[in-house]
Amino acid sequence: MAVELKFSEYAQKEVEKIVGRFANSRGSLIMILHAVQEKFGYLPREALELISERLKVPLSEIYGVVTFYSFFRLEPQGKHVIRLCMGTACYVKGAEDLLRTLEQMGFKEGKVTEDGFFSLDLVRCIGACSMAPALMINDDVYGKLTPDKLRKLIENFRKEHQ
């Protein structure tokens, strides 16, 4: 689980190492961002400021890259990531009802639960159209969900993975 922390001297040194490893490579920004996210679980603002300074690239340009690509995260994720499919098949078969159910359970899109156990992302397609509506928890796909099945799934998952 990525833990949000104050940007420490250690964290700063880690970002410096990553920038140093890729700084002379053509198109290094995306490689650096990937490596930093892999290290911390997300892209802390302080890391982006340091990258901007070291590469002499405006912070606004870095934010443009980060917000353009959906795989970059500006906030930490939970220990387990729920990806709710909002693609056409899932949407038509009830994904919106599943989202409302998750919201009633305290989940918020793009946010981590208070205990850090889950985070929720809405995605366009997970390739499970025949199982619509569907979601993923980490790398596992769960389909043909109803609000009741979803509640039970989340409760059981939490019990099994505590």
Side-chain angles (χ1 to χ4, degrees):
M1 176 174 101
V3 177
E4 189 165 11
L5 50 101
K6 201 168 171 131
F7 212 66
S8 66
E9 191 175 314
Y10 165 79
Q12 186 173 345
K13 285 180 182 174
E14 290 299 307
V15 173
E16 292 277 3
K17 280 188 217 172
I18 292 167
V19 171
R21 199 168 61 223
F22 294 107
N24 295 325
S25 303
R26 182 171 155 85
S28 64
L29 179 59
I30 289 178
M31 292 184 290
I32 291 168
L33 293 171
H34 272 293
V36 169
Q37 182 166 286
E38 191 171 305
K39 181 74 180 172
F40 298 103
Y42 72 112
L43 296 167
R45 179 177 175 84
E46 296 89 343
L48 298 179
E49 290 170 351
L50 186 58
I51 293 166
S52 171
E53 182 182 309
R54 296 300 182 263
L55 295 182
K56 297 183 181 8
V57 173
L59 187 58
S60 60
E61 188 175 320
I62 292 174
Y63 269 100
V65 170
V66 168
T67 57
F68 179 80
Y69 293 104
S70 63
F71 45 81
F72 289 127
R73 294 180 298 279
L74 291 169
E75 296 196 24
Q77 288 196 304
K79 183 176 181 182
H80 301 283
V81 179
I82 297 172
R83 290 178 181 84
L84 177 60
C85 182
M86 298 301 281
T88 304
C90 287
Y91 191 84
V92 168
K93 297 250 182 159
E96 197 169 27
D97 294 334
L98 299 181
L99 177 58
R100 272 195 296 275
T101 299
L102 288 167
E103 289 170 343
Q104 290 166 359
M105 295 174 73
F107 290 86
K108 292 184 177 104
E109 178 189 355
K111 300 293 179 188
V112 179
T113 54
E114 285 185 24
D115 61 3
F117 196 76
F118 286 114
S119 56
L120 173 63
D121 292 333
L122 303 184
V123 297
R124 288 291 140 229
C125 187
I126 60 172
C129 300
S130 65
M131 299 170 57
L135 61 73
M136 294 177 70
I137 302 179
N138 302 327
D139 295 324
D140 297 320
V141 177
Y142 300 89
K144 299 196 185 278
L145 293 169
T146 63
D148 287 336
K149 286 181 182 176
L150 176 58
R151 279 187 203 88
K152 287 178 185 147
L153 170 65
I154 297 297
E155 289 168 16
N156 290 335
F157 189 93
R158 190 179 281 279
K159 287 178 191 171
E160 292 171 12
H161 294 88
Q162 283 292 354

